Amino acid sequence: MKHGVYLMGNEKVYQMDFSKVYHLLVNKAEKKGRTRQEVDEVVRWLTGYSQAELEGMLERPVSYGDFFRDAPELNENRKLIKGVVCGVRVEDIEEPLMQEIRYLDKLVDELARGKAMDKILL
């Protein structure tokens, strides 16, 4: 039963509007003195979207799942991202799409903690 609940929770996350999640990530970073531009840099590094493509995604309805499914080029170094997000080690997440989402969460967490950009973007 737990596995089914977990998958339903994942699907709910995948259906969320990307622009809403994006603004939450930006707010998290800005509260700690970081900038939207830095969040954009992290997102572009992870997904391969250009700044223009990223901005376009914010202007139309795009699900969070589709944002990652349609990413032009997921950074091969993302597999080097380690650590805990929401109580779960990102490297241990078995569901590939959820792992991509948690990679972005972890990168923004590191940004909000004040880590230097060259240390965040492996």
Side-chain angles (χ1 to χ4, degrees):
M1 182 68 179
K2 274 188 175 181
H3 185 66
V5 171
Y6 180 70
L7 288 177
M8 284 175 46
N10 284 358
E11 199 53 45
K12 191 173 183 178
V13 171
Y14 302 157
Q15 294 305 316
M16 292 172 66
D17 188 286
F18 168 69
S19 67
K20 289 182 182 175
V21 176
Y22 171 82
H23 290 295
L24 292 172
L25 294 171
V26 169
N27 287 341
K28 179 182 206 172
E30 288 180 340
K31 283 181 185 175
K32 298 292 186 171
R34 302 309 285 256
T35 66
R36 176 183 176 156
Q37 290 77 19
E38 289 174 308
V39 172
D40 287 357
E41 184 177 347
V42 165
V43 171
R44 291 191 319 264
W45 177 88
L46 180 64
T47 62
Y49 286 111
S50 69
Q51 187 63 34
E53 289 169 326
L54 177 56
E55 290 171 11
M57 295 276 199
L58 296 170
E59 294 172 2
R60 64 183 191 279
V62 176
S63 75
Y64 204 29
D66 285 345
F67 174 78
F68 281 96
R69 285 184 200 104
D70 298 339
E73 188 175 347
L74 293 167
N75 193 307
E76 61 186 32
N77 287 341
R78 74 193 186 285
K79 299 290 184 184
L80 301 174
I81 299 169
K82 308 279 187 228
V84 177
V85 173
C86 299
V88 178
R89 295 203 70 75
V90 293
E91 60 270 29
D92 294 340
I93 296 172
E94 292 182 15
E95 204 321 281
L97 185 56
M98 183 54 70
Q99 189 174 45
E100 303 301 346
I101 288 170
R102 293 304 182 202
Y103 284 149
L104 181 55
D105 289 341
K106 184 63 180 168
L107 292 173
V108 173
D109 281 355
E110 296 293 315
L111 189 64
R113 285 194 184 105
K115 201 168 188 181
M117 191 64 80
D118 65 340
K119 301 284 189 220
I120 296 170
L121 306 182
L122 312 165

